[in-house]
Amino acid sequence: LATEEHEGMYKALPTPARMYGSVLKGECPLSIVEGRSWFSRLVNEKHPESPVLENQERPEEKVIEVSEVWFQYEKGADPVLRDLSLSVRKGEICSILGGNGAGKTTLIKCMAGIYKPEIGTVTYDEEGLYSNPTIKEKIGYVSDNNEYIGRYTIKKMLQVYETYFSGFDKDKFEKLNQEFKLELGAKIESLSKGQKMRLGFMLEVAKKPEYLLLDEPTSGLDPVAKKIFLERLVEEVEKENIGVLISSHNLNDLEKLCDTITILDKGRVV
């Protein structure tokens, strides 16, 4: 693939697969976790005197833990989430896949601290999420329906984020916008769904979160914007070691990107 004829396809591959393309040894890794494992084996073969342990425990591993969560919108109504458990580790891209009504958005809102489960817990690095502003500052959340103040311009919204988030990195936002190309003077109410999704992604990534929750992030994106989005997402995981959870109903967008895929059906893990 690393030829002029297939250059575009080669560049679209995950970084571990592109690294493999220069070595062509062993089985080609298609995710970040597979890439770590493949790289460890490669190093061990070349330097057996100081091996890299493929499955060694990483000290103080940070993780989101969703444990036995139940949620319903009204008393007496059918539960939307049913005894649901999953985890997301730093440095991984994980996805939840399911059709409409499977519970994906509700789960992400529980993980973002918007909803509180009736039963079960959501913890970040073994700390409770609710009534814990320190933990919430570590979370970036991009909704499927990003509702900002419509009369504000993008520039004004950028100033709001700079004011309320102490770690906000304006330079990172501007660098991302060199590719996403949103006009800072445009009013948010004039933006399309895809443009709002791009704005939400740039604002939340520029907060420099430890965990990023993305609800249907590729919906409304044209093919070029989707390619840029996926490339920048993988880049953030590799450079900043953030943990990412993505919801989607489209397996094609996720199968080569994610380290794990969890399938939901009627609020349960399948």
Side-chain angles (χ1 to χ4, degrees), residues 18-108:
R18 296 202 304 271
M19 291 173 62
Y20 170 85
S22 64
V23 178
L24 297 177
K25 188 167 185 178
E27 186 174 346
C28 179
L30 295 177
S31 70
I32 293 171
V33 167
E34 288 179 7
R36 289 196 191 106
S37 179
W38 169 77
F39 184 73
S40 295
R41 290 195 299 271
L42 191 66
V43 171
N44 287 342
E45 289 177 9
K46 291 185 174 294
H47 303 281
E49 69 281 359
S50 55
V52 177
L53 299 179
E54 179 180 332
N55 296 316
Q56 66 184 355
E57 292 187 8
R58 285 171 280 183
E60 300 181 3
E61 185 176 40
K62 296 184 177 181
V63 62
I64 312 173
E65 195 73 49
V66 178
S67 180
E68 300 176 348
V69 162
W70 290 75
F71 181 85
Q72 59 187 157
Y73 285 101
E74 297 178 358
K75 288 185 177 181
D78 290 337
V80 180
L81 302 178
R82 305 165 182 260
D83 197 28
L84 196 151
S85 298
L86 60 81
S87 61
V88 180
R89 288 174 170 75
K90 296 286 290 295
E92 291 186 350
I93 301 177
C94 306
S95 74
I96 47 176
L97 188 69
N100 293 333
K104 303 185 301 296
T105 294
T106 303
L107 172 60
I108 284 186

Coordinates of all heavy atoms in Angstrom, one line a residue, residues 18-108:
R18 N 0.7 1.6 9.8 CA 1.7 2.3 9.0 C 3.1 2.0 9.5 O 4.0 1.8 8.6 CB 1.4 3.8 9.0 CG 0.1 4.3 8.4 CD 0.1 5.7 8.0 NE 0.5 6.6 9.1 CZ -0.4 7.2 9.9 NH1 -1.7 6.9 9.8 NH2 0.0 8.0 10.9
M19 N 3.3 1.9 10.8 CA 4.6 1.5 11.3 C 4.9 0.1 10.8 O 6.1 -0.2 10.4 CB 4.6 1.5 12.8 CG 4.5 2.9 13.4 SD 4.3 2.8 15.2 CE 5.8 2.0 15.7
Y20 N 3.9 -0.8 10.8 CA 4.1 -2.2 10.3 C 4.6 -2.2 8.9 O 5.4 -3.0 8.5 CB 2.9 -3.0 10.5 CG 2.9 -4.4 9.8 CD1 3.4 -5.5 10.5 CD2 2.3 -4.5 8.5 CE1 3.4 -6.7 9.8 CE2 2.3 -5.7 7.9 CZ 2.9 -6.8 8.6 OH 2.9 -8.0 7.9
G21 N 4.0 -1.2 8.1 CA 4.4 -1.2 6.7 C 5.8 -1.0 6.4 O 6.3 -1.3 5.3
S22 N 6.6 -0.4 7.4 CA 8.0 -0.2 7.1 C 8.8 -1.3 7.6 O 10.0 -1.3 7.5 CB 8.4 1.1 7.9 OG 8.3 1.0 9.3
V23 N 8.2 -2.3 8.3 CA 8.9 -3.4 8.9 C 8.5 -4.8 8.2 O 9.3 -5.6 7.9 CB 8.7 -3.5 10.4 CG1 9.4 -4.7 11.0 CG2 9.2 -2.2 11.1
L24 N 7.1 -4.9 8.1 CA 6.6 -6.1 7.5 C 7.0 -7.4 8.2 O 7.5 -8.3 7.5 CB 6.9 -6.2 6.0 CG 6.3 -5.0 5.1 CD1 6.8 -5.2 3.7 CD2 4.8 -5.0 5.2
K25 N 6.8 -7.4 9.5 CA 7.2 -8.6 10.2 C 6.1 -8.9 11.2 O 5.7 -8.0 12.0 CB 8.5 -8.3 11.0 CG 9.1 -9.6 11.6 CD 10.5 -9.4 12.1 CE 11.1 -10.7 12.6 NZ 12.5 -10.6 13.0
G26 N 5.7 -10.1 11.3 CA 4.6 -10.5 12.2 C 3.2 -10.2 11.6 O 3.1 -9.9 10.4
E27 N 2.2 -10.2 12.4 CA 0.8 -9.9 12.0 C 0.6 -8.5 12.1 O 0.9 -7.8 13.1 CB -0.1 -10.7 12.8 CG -1.6 -10.6 12.4 CD -2.5 -11.5 13.2 OE1 -2.0 -12.4 13.9 OE2 -3.7 -11.3 13.1
C28 N 0.0 -7.9 11.1 CA -0.2 -6.4 11.0 C -1.2 -6.0 12.1 O -2.3 -6.5 12.2 CB -0.8 -6.0 9.7 SG -1.1 -4.2 9.5
P29 N -0.8 -5.0 13.0 CA -1.7 -4.5 14.0 C -2.7 -3.5 13.5 O -2.3 -2.7 12.7 CB -0.7 -3.9 15.0 CG 0.4 -3.4 14.2 CD 0.5 -4.4 13.1
L30 N -3.9 -3.6 13.9 CA -4.9 -2.7 13.4 C -5.5 -1.7 14.4 O -6.4 -0.9 14.2 CB -6.1 -3.5 12.8 CG -5.7 -4.3 11.5 CD1 -6.9 -5.1 11.1 CD2 -5.2 -3.4 10.4
S31 N -5.0 -1.8 15.7 CA -5.4 -0.9 16.7 C -4.2 -0.5 17.6 O -3.1 -1.0 17.5 CB -6.5 -1.5 17.6 OG -5.9 -2.5 18.4
I32 N -4.4 0.5 18.5 CA -3.4 1.0 19.3 C -2.9 -0.1 20.3 O -1.7 -0.3 20.5 CB -3.8 2.2 20.1 CG1 -4.1 3.4 19.1 CG2 -2.8 2.7 21.1 CD1 -4.7 4.6 19.7
V33 N -3.8 -0.8 20.9 CA -3.4 -1.9 21.8 C -2.7 -3.0 21.0 O -1.6 -3.5 21.5 CB -4.7 -2.5 22.5 CG1 -4.4 -3.8 23.2 CG2 -5.2 -1.5 23.5
E34 N -3.2 -3.4 19.8 CA -2.5 -4.4 19.1 C -1.1 -3.9 18.7 O -0.1 -4.6 18.6 CB -3.3 -4.8 17.8 CG -4.5 -5.6 18.1 CD -5.3 -5.9 16.8 OE1 -4.8 -5.5 15.7 OE2 -6.4 -6.4 16.9
G35 N -1.0 -2.5 18.4 CA 0.3 -1.9 18.0 C 1.3 -2.0 19.2 O 2.5 -2.3 19.0
R36 N 0.8 -1.8 20.4 CA 1.7 -1.9 21.6 C 2.3 -3.3 21.7 O 3.5 -3.5 21.9 CB 1.0 -1.5 22.9 CG 0.6 0.0 23.0 CD 0.3 0.2 24.5 NE -0.3 1.6 24.6 CZ -1.6 1.8 24.8 NH1 -2.4 0.8 24.9 NH2 -2.0 3.0 25.0
S37 N 1.4 -4.3 21.5 CA 1.8 -5.7 21.7 C 2.8 -6.1 20.6 O 3.8 -6.7 20.9 CB 0.5 -6.6 21.6 OG 0.9 -7.9 21.7
W38 N 2.5 -5.7 19.4 CA 3.4 -6.0 18.2 C 4.7 -5.3 18.4 O 5.8 -6.0 18.2 CB 2.7 -5.5 16.9 CG 3.6 -5.5 15.7 CD1 4.0 -6.6 15.0 CD2 4.3 -4.4 15.2 NE1 4.9 -6.2 14.0 CE2 5.1 -4.9 14.1 CE3 4.4 -3.0 15.5 CZ2 5.9 -4.1 13.3 CZ3 5.1 -2.2 14.7 CH2 5.9 -2.7 13.6
F39 N 4.7 -4.1 18.9 CA 6.0 -3.4 19.0 C 6.8 -4.0 20.2 O 8.1 -4.1 20.0 CB 5.7 -1.9 19.4 CG 7.0 -1.1 19.5 CD1 7.7 -0.7 18.4 CD2 7.4 -0.6 20.7 CE1 8.9 0.0 18.5 CE2 8.6 0.1 20.8 CZ 9.3 0.5 19.7
S40 N 6.2 -4.4 21.2 CA 6.9 -5.1 22.3 C 7.6 -6.4 21.9 O 8.7 -6.6 22.2 CB 5.9 -5.4 23.5 OG 5.4 -4.2 24.0
R41 N 6.8 -7.2 21.1 CA 7.4 -8.4 20.6 C 8.6 -8.1 19.7 O 9.6 -8.8 19.7 CB 6.3 -9.2 19.8 CG 5.3 -9.8 20.7 CD 4.5 -10.9 20.0 NE 3.8 -10.3 18.8 CZ 2.6 -9.8 18.9 NH1 1.9 -9.7 20.0 NH2 2.0 -9.4 17.8
L42 N 8.5 -7.1 18.8 CA 9.5 -6.7 17.9 C 10.8 -6.3 18.7 O 11.9 -6.7 18.4 CB 9.1 -5.6 17.0 CG 10.0 -5.2 15.8 CD1 10.0 -6.4 14.8 CD2 9.5 -3.9 15.1
V43 N 10.6 -5.5 19.7 CA 11.8 -5.0 20.5 C 12.4 -6.2 21.3 O 13.6 -6.3 21.3 CB 11.3 -4.0 21.5 CG1 12.4 -3.6 22.5 CG2 10.9 -2.7 20.8
N44 N 11.6 -7.1 21.8 CA 12.1 -8.3 22.5 C 13.0 -9.2 21.6 O 14.0 -9.7 22.0 CB 11.0 -9.1 23.1 CG 10.3 -8.4 24.3 OD1 10.9 -7.5 24.9 ND2 9.1 -8.8 24.6
E45 N 12.6 -9.3 20.3 CA 13.4 -10.1 19.4 C 14.7 -9.5 19.1 O 15.7 -10.1 19.0 CB 12.6 -10.2 18.1 CG 11.4 -11.1 18.2 CD 10.6 -11.2 16.9 OE1 11.1 -10.7 15.9 OE2 9.5 -11.8 16.9
K46 N 14.7 -8.1 19.0 CA 16.0 -7.4 18.7 C 16.9 -7.2 19.9 O 18.1 -7.1 19.8 CB 15.7 -6.1 18.0 CG 15.1 -6.2 16.6 CD 14.9 -4.9 16.0 CE 14.5 -5.0 14.5 NZ 15.5 -5.6 13.7
H47 N 16.3 -7.1 21.1 CA 17.0 -6.8 22.3 C 16.6 -7.7 23.4 O 15.9 -7.3 24.4 CB 16.8 -5.3 22.7 CG 17.2 -4.4 21.6 ND1 18.6 -4.0 21.4 CD2 16.5 -3.6 20.8 CE1 18.6 -3.2 20.4 NE2 17.4 -2.9 20.0
P48 N 16.8 -9.0 23.3 CA 16.4 -10.0 24.3 C 17.0 -9.7 25.7 O 16.5 -10.2 26.7 CB 16.8 -11.3 23.7 CG 17.9 -11.0 22.8 CD 17.6 -9.7 22.2
E49 N 18.1 -9.0 25.7 CA 18.8 -8.8 27.0 C 18.0 -7.8 27.9 O 18.2 -7.8 29.1 CB 20.2 -8.3 26.8 CG 20.3 -6.9 26.3 CD 20.1 -6.8 24.8 OE1 19.9 -7.9 24.1 OE2 20.2 -5.7 24.2
S50 N 17.2 -7.0 27.3 CA 16.4 -6.1 28.1 C 14.9 -6.0 27.6 O 14.5 -5.1 26.9 CB 16.9 -4.6 28.0 OG 17.1 -4.2 26.7
P51 N 14.2 -7.1 27.8 CA 12.9 -7.3 27.2 C 11.9 -6.3 27.6 O 11.9 -5.8 28.8 CB 12.5 -8.7 27.6 CG 13.2 -8.9 28.9 CD 14.5 -8.2 28.7
V52 N 11.0 -5.9 26.7 CA 9.8 -5.2 27.0 C 8.7 -6.2 27.3 O 8.3 -7.0 26.4 CB 9.4 -4.2 25.9 CG1 8.1 -3.5 26.2 CG2 10.5 -3.3 25.6
L53 N 8.1 -6.2 28.5 CA 7.1 -7.2 28.8 C 5.8 -6.8 28.2 O 5.2 -5.8 28.5 CB 7.0 -7.3 30.4 CG 8.2 -7.7 31.1 CD1 7.9 -7.8 32.6 CD2 8.7 -9.1 30.6
E54 N 5.3 -7.7 27.3 CA 4.1 -7.4 26.6 C 2.9 -7.1 27.4 O 2.1 -6.2 27.2 CB 3.8 -8.5 25.6 CG 2.6 -8.3 24.7 CD 2.4 -9.5 23.8 OE1 3.4 -10.1 23.4 OE2 1.2 -9.7 23.4
N55 N 2.7 -7.9 28.5 CA 1.5 -7.9 29.3 C 1.9 -7.3 30.7 O 1.1 -7.6 31.6 CB 0.9 -9.3 29.4 CG 0.4 -9.8 28.1 OD1 -0.2 -9.0 27.4 ND2 0.7 -11.0 27.8
Q56 N 2.9 -6.6 30.8 CA 3.3 -6.1 32.1 C 2.2 -5.1 32.6 O 1.6 -4.4 31.9 CB 4.6 -5.4 32.1 CG 4.7 -4.1 31.3 CD 6.1 -3.6 31.2 OE1 7.0 -4.1 31.9 NE2 6.3 -2.5 30.5
E57 N 2.0 -5.1 33.9 CA 1.1 -4.2 34.5 C 1.6 -2.8 34.5 O 2.7 -2.5 34.9 CB 0.7 -4.6 35.9 CG 0.0 -5.9 36.0 CD -0.5 -6.2 37.5 OE1 -0.3 -5.3 38.3 OE2 -1.0 -7.3 37.7
R58 N 0.8 -1.8 34.1 CA 1.2 -0.4 34.1 C 0.8 0.2 35.4 O -0.4 0.0 35.9 CB 0.5 0.3 33.0 CG 1.1 0.1 31.6 CD 0.2 0.7 30.5 NE -0.9 -0.2 30.2 CZ -1.8 0.1 29.3 NH1 -1.7 1.1 28.5 NH2 -2.8 -0.7 29.1
P59 N 1.7 0.8 36.1 CA 1.5 1.3 37.5 C 0.4 2.4 37.4 O 0.3 3.2 36.5 CB 2.8 1.8 37.9 CG 3.5 2.2 36.7 CD 3.1 1.1 35.7
E60 N -0.5 2.3 38.5 CA -1.5 3.3 38.6 C -2.3 3.6 37.4 O -2.5 4.7 36.9 CB -0.9 4.6 39.1 CG -0.2 4.5 40.4 CD 0.4 5.8 40.9 OE1 0.2 6.9 40.2 OE2 1.1 5.9 42.0
E61 N -2.7 2.5 36.7 CA -3.5 2.6 35.5 C -4.8 3.3 35.8 O -5.6 2.9 36.7 CB -3.8 1.2 34.9 CG -4.5 1.2 33.6 CD -4.6 -0.2 33.0 OE1 -4.9 -1.1 33.8 OE2 -4.4 -0.3 31.8
K62 N -5.1 4.3 35.0 CA -6.3 5.1 35.2 C -7.4 4.5 34.3 O -7.2 4.1 33.1 CB -6.0 6.5 34.9 CG -5.1 7.2 35.9 CD -4.9 8.6 35.6 CE -3.9 9.2 36.7 NZ -3.7 10.7 36.5
V63 N -8.7 4.6 34.8 CA -9.7 3.9 34.1 C -11.1 4.5 34.5 O -11.3 5.0 35.6 CB -9.7 2.4 34.4 CG1 -9.9 2.1 35.9 CG2 -10.7 1.6 33.6
I64 N -12.0 4.5 33.5 CA -13.4 4.8 33.8 C -14.1 3.4 34.0 O -13.9 2.5 33.2 CB -14.2 5.4 32.6 CG1 -13.4 6.6 32.0 CG2 -15.6 5.8 33.0 CD1 -14.1 7.2 30.8
E65 N -14.8 3.3 35.1 CA -15.5 2.0 35.4 C -17.0 2.3 35.6 O -17.4 3.0 36.4 CB -14.9 1.5 36.7 CG -15.2 0.0 36.9 CD -14.4 -0.9 36.0 OE1 -13.2 -0.8 35.9 OE2 -15.1 -1.8 35.4
V66 N -17.7 1.6 34.7 CA -19.2 1.6 34.8 C -19.6 0.3 35.3 O -19.3 -0.8 34.7 CB -19.9 1.9 33.4 CG1 -21.4 1.8 33.6 CG2 -19.4 3.2 32.8
S67 N -20.2 0.3 36.5 CA -20.5 -1.0 37.2 C -21.9 -1.2 37.5 O -22.5 -0.5 38.3 CB -19.6 -1.1 38.5 OG -19.8 -2.3 39.2
E68 N -22.5 -2.2 36.8 CA -23.9 -2.7 37.1 C -24.9 -1.5 37.2 O -25.7 -1.4 38.1 CB -23.9 -3.5 38.5 CG -23.0 -4.7 38.4 CD -22.9 -5.4 39.8 OE1 -23.4 -4.8 40.8 OE2 -22.4 -6.5 39.8
V69 N -24.9 -0.7 36.1 CA -25.7 0.5 36.1 C -27.1 0.2 35.5 O -27.2 -0.5 34.5 CB -25.0 1.6 35.2 CG1 -26.0 2.6 34.8 CG2 -23.9 2.2 36.0
W70 N -28.1 0.7 36.3 CA -29.5 0.7 35.8 C -30.0 2.1 35.7 O -29.6 2.9 36.6 CB -30.4 -0.1 36.8 CG -30.2 -1.6 36.8 CD1 -29.1 -2.2 37.4 CD2 -31.0 -2.6 36.3 NE1 -29.2 -3.6 37.2 CE2 -30.4 -3.9 36.5 CE3 -32.2 -2.6 35.5 CZ2 -31.0 -5.1 36.1 CZ3 -32.8 -3.8 35.1 CH2 -32.2 -5.0 35.4
F71 N -30.8 2.4 34.7 CA -31.3 3.8 34.6 C -32.6 3.8 33.9 O -32.9 3.0 33.0 CB -30.4 4.7 33.8 CG -30.8 6.1 33.7 CD1 -30.6 7.0 34.7 CD2 -31.6 6.5 32.6 CE1 -31.1 8.3 34.6 CE2 -32.1 7.8 32.5 CZ -31.8 8.7 33.5
Q72 N -33.6 4.5 34.5 CA -34.9 4.7 33.9 C -35.3 6.2 34.0 O -34.9 6.9 34.9 CB -36.0 3.9 34.5 CG -36.1 4.1 36.0 CD -37.1 3.2 36.7 OE1 -37.0 3.0 37.9 NE2 -38.0 2.5 35.9
Y73 N -36.0 6.7 33.0 CA -36.3 8.1 32.9 C -37.5 8.5 33.9 O -37.5 9.6 34.4 CB -36.7 8.6 31.5 CG -35.5 8.7 30.6 CD1 -35.1 7.7 29.7 CD2 -34.6 9.8 30.7 CE1 -34.0 7.8 28.9 CE2 -33.5 10.0 29.9 CZ -33.2 8.9 29.0 OH -32.1 9.0 28.2
E74 N -38.4 7.5 34.1 CA -39.5 7.8 35.0 C -39.7 6.5 35.8 O -39.5 5.4 35.3 CB -40.8 8.1 34.2 CG -40.7 9.4 33.4 CD -41.9 9.7 32.7 OE1 -42.9 8.9 32.7 OE2 -42.0 10.7 32.0
K75 N -40.2 6.7 37.1 CA -40.6 5.6 37.9 C -41.7 4.8 37.2 O -42.7 5.3 36.7 CB -41.0 6.0 39.3 CG -39.9 6.5 40.1 CD -40.3 6.8 41.5 CE -39.2 7.3 42.4 NZ -39.6 7.6 43.8
G76 N -41.5 3.5 37.2 CA -42.5 2.6 36.6 C -42.2 2.3 35.1 O -42.8 1.4 34.5
A77 N -41.4 3.2 34.5 CA -41.1 3.0 33.0 C -40.0 1.9 32.9 O -39.3 1.5 33.8 CB -40.5 4.3 32.5
D78 N -39.9 1.3 31.7 CA -39.0 0.3 31.4 C -37.6 0.9 31.5 O -37.3 2.0 31.1 CB -39.1 -0.3 30.0 CG -40.4 -1.1 29.9 OD1 -40.9 -1.6 30.9 OD2 -40.9 -1.3 28.7
P79 N -36.6 0.1 32.1 CA -35.3 0.7 32.3 C -34.6 0.8 30.9 O -34.8 0.0 30.0 CB -34.5 -0.5 33.0 CG -35.6 -1.2 33.7 CD -36.8 -1.2 32.8
V80 N -33.9 1.9 30.7 CA -33.2 2.2 29.5 C -31.8 1.5 29.5 O -31.3 1.1 28.5 CB -33.0 3.7 29.3 CG1 -32.2 4.0 28.0 CG2 -34.3 4.4 29.3
L81 N -31.2 1.5 30.7 CA -29.9 0.7 30.9 C -30.2 -0.4 31.9 O -30.8 -0.1 33.0 CB -28.8 1.6 31.4 CG -28.5 2.8 30.5 CD1 -27.4 3.7 31.2 CD2 -28.0 2.4 29.1
R82 N -29.7 -1.6 31.7 CA -30.0 -2.7 32.5 C -28.7 -3.5 32.9 O -28.1 -4.1 32.1 CB -30.9 -3.7 31.7 CG -32.2 -3.1 31.2 CD -32.9 -4.0 30.2 NE -34.1 -3.4 29.6 CZ -35.3 -3.7 30.0 NH1 -35.5 -4.6 31.0 NH2 -36.3 -3.1 29.5
D83 N -28.3 -3.3 34.1 CA -27.2 -4.0 34.7 C -26.0 -3.9 33.8 O -25.3 -4.9 33.5 CB -27.6 -5.5 34.9 CG -26.6 -6.2 35.8 OD1 -26.0 -5.6 36.7 OD2 -26.4 -7.4 35.7
L84 N -25.6 -2.7 33.4 CA -24.6 -2.5 32.4 C -23.3 -2.2 33.0 O -23.2 -1.4 33.9 CB -25.0 -1.3 31.5 CG -24.3 -1.2 30.1 CD1 -25.2 -0.5 29.1 CD2 -23.0 -0.4 30.3
S85 N -22.2 -2.9 32.5 CA -20.9 -2.7 33.0 C -19.9 -2.6 31.9 O -20.0 -3.4 30.9 CB -20.4 -3.8 34.0 OG -21.2 -3.9 35.1
L86 N -18.9 -1.7 31.9 CA -17.8 -1.6 31.0 C -16.7 -0.7 31.6 O -16.9 0.0 32.6 CB -18.3 -1.1 29.6 CG -18.9 0.3 29.5 CD1 -17.9 1.4 29.5 CD2 -19.7 0.4 28.2
S87 N -15.6 -0.7 30.9 CA -14.5 0.1 31.4 C -13.7 0.7 30.2 O -13.7 0.1 29.1 CB -13.5 -0.7 32.3 OG -12.9 -1.8 31.5
V88 N -13.1 1.9 30.4 CA -12.3 2.6 29.4 C -11.0 3.0 30.0 O -11.0 3.7 31.0 CB -13.1 3.8 28.9 CG1 -12.2 4.5 27.8 CG2 -14.4 3.5 28.3
R89 N -9.9 2.5 29.5 CA -8.6 2.8 30.0 C -7.9 4.0 29.3 O -8.2 4.2 28.1 CB -7.7 1.6 30.0 CG -8.1 0.5 31.0 CD -7.4 -0.8 30.9 NE -7.6 -1.6 32.1 CZ -8.8 -2.3 32.3 NH1 -9.7 -2.2 31.4 NH2 -9.0 -3.0 33.4
K90 N -7.0 4.6 30.0 CA -6.2 5.7 29.3 C -5.5 5.1 28.2 O -4.9 4.0 28.3 CB -5.3 6.3 30.3 CG -5.9 7.0 31.5 CD -6.5 8.4 31.1 CE -5.5 9.4 30.7 NZ -4.7 9.8 31.9
G91 N -5.4 5.8 27.1 CA -4.6 5.4 25.9 C -5.4 4.4 25.0 O -4.8 3.9 24.1
E92 N -6.7 4.2 25.3 CA -7.5 3.3 24.5 C -8.6 4.1 23.8 O -9.1 5.1 24.4 CB -8.1 2.2 25.3 CG -7.0 1.2 25.8 CD -7.7 0.0 26.5 OE1 -8.9 0.0 26.7 OE2 -6.9 -1.0 26.7
I93 N -9.0 3.6 22.7 CA -10.3 4.1 22.0 C -11.3 2.9 22.1 O -11.0 1.9 21.5 CB -10.0 4.5 20.6 CG1 -9.0 5.6 20.5 CG2 -11.3 5.0 19.9 CD1 -8.6 6.1 19.1
C94 N -12.3 3.1 22.8 CA -13.4 2.1 22.9 C -14.7 2.6 22.3 O -14.9 3.8 22.3 CB -13.6 1.8 24.4 SG -12.1 1.3 25.3
S95 N -15.5 1.7 21.9 CA -16.8 2.2 21.3 C -17.9 1.4 21.8 O -17.8 0.2 22.3 CB -16.7 2.0 19.8 OG -16.8 0.6 19.4
I96 N -19.1 2.0 21.8 CA -20.3 1.3 22.1 C -21.2 1.4 20.8 O -21.3 2.5 20.2 CB -21.1 1.9 23.3 CG1 -21.2 3.4 23.2 CG2 -20.5 1.4 24.5 CD1 -22.0 4.0 24.4
L97 N -21.6 0.2 20.3 CA -22.3 0.1 19.1 C -23.7 -0.4 19.3 O -23.9 -1.3 20.1 CB -21.5 -0.9 18.2 CG -21.9 -1.0 16.7 CD1 -21.6 0.3 15.9 CD2 -21.2 -2.2 16.1
G98 N -24.7 0.2 18.6 CA -26.1 -0.3 18.7 C -27.0 0.6 17.9 O -26.7 1.7 17.5
G99 N -28.2 0.0 17.7 CA -29.2 0.8 16.9 C -29.9 1.9 17.7 O -29.5 2.1 18.9
N100 N -30.8 2.5 17.1 CA -31.6 3.5 17.8 C -32.3 2.9 19.0 O -32.9 1.8 18.9 CB -32.6 4.2 16.9 CG -31.9 5.0 15.8 OD1 -30.8 5.5 16.0 ND2 -32.6 5.2 14.7
G101 N -32.3 3.6 20.2 CA -33.0 3.1 21.4 C -32.2 2.0 22.1 O -32.7 1.4 23.1
A102 N -30.9 1.8 21.7 CA -30.1 0.7 22.4 C -29.7 1.2 23.8 O -29.3 0.4 24.6 CB -29.0 0.3 21.6
G103 N -29.6 2.6 24.0 CA -29.1 3.1 25.3 C -27.8 3.8 25.2 O -27.3 4.2 26.2
K104 N -27.3 4.0 24.0 CA -25.9 4.6 23.9 C -25.8 6.0 24.4 O -24.9 6.3 25.2 CB -25.5 4.6 22.4 CG -25.5 3.2 21.7 CD -25.0 3.3 20.3 CE -25.7 4.3 19.4 NZ -27.2 3.9 19.1
T105 N -26.7 6.9 24.0 CA -26.7 8.2 24.5 C -26.9 8.3 26.0 O -26.3 9.1 26.7 CB -27.7 9.1 23.7 OG1 -27.4 9.2 22.3 CG2 -27.8 10.5 24.2
T106 N -27.9 7.6 26.5 CA -28.2 7.6 27.9 C -26.9 7.1 28.7 O -26.6 7.7 29.7 CB -29.3 6.6 28.2 OG1 -30.5 7.0 27.5 CG2 -29.7 6.7 29.7
L107 N -26.3 6.1 28.2 CA -25.0 5.6 28.9 C -24.0 6.7 28.9 O -23.4 7.0 30.0 CB -24.5 4.4 28.2 CG -23.1 3.9 28.7 CD1 -23.1 3.6 30.2 CD2 -22.6 2.8 27.8
I108 N -23.8 7.4 27.8 CA -22.7 8.4 27.7 C -23.1 9.6 28.7 O -22.2 10.2 29.3 CB -22.5 8.9 26.3 CG1 -21.7 7.8 25.5 CG2 -21.8 10.2 26.2 CD1 -21.3 8.2 24.2

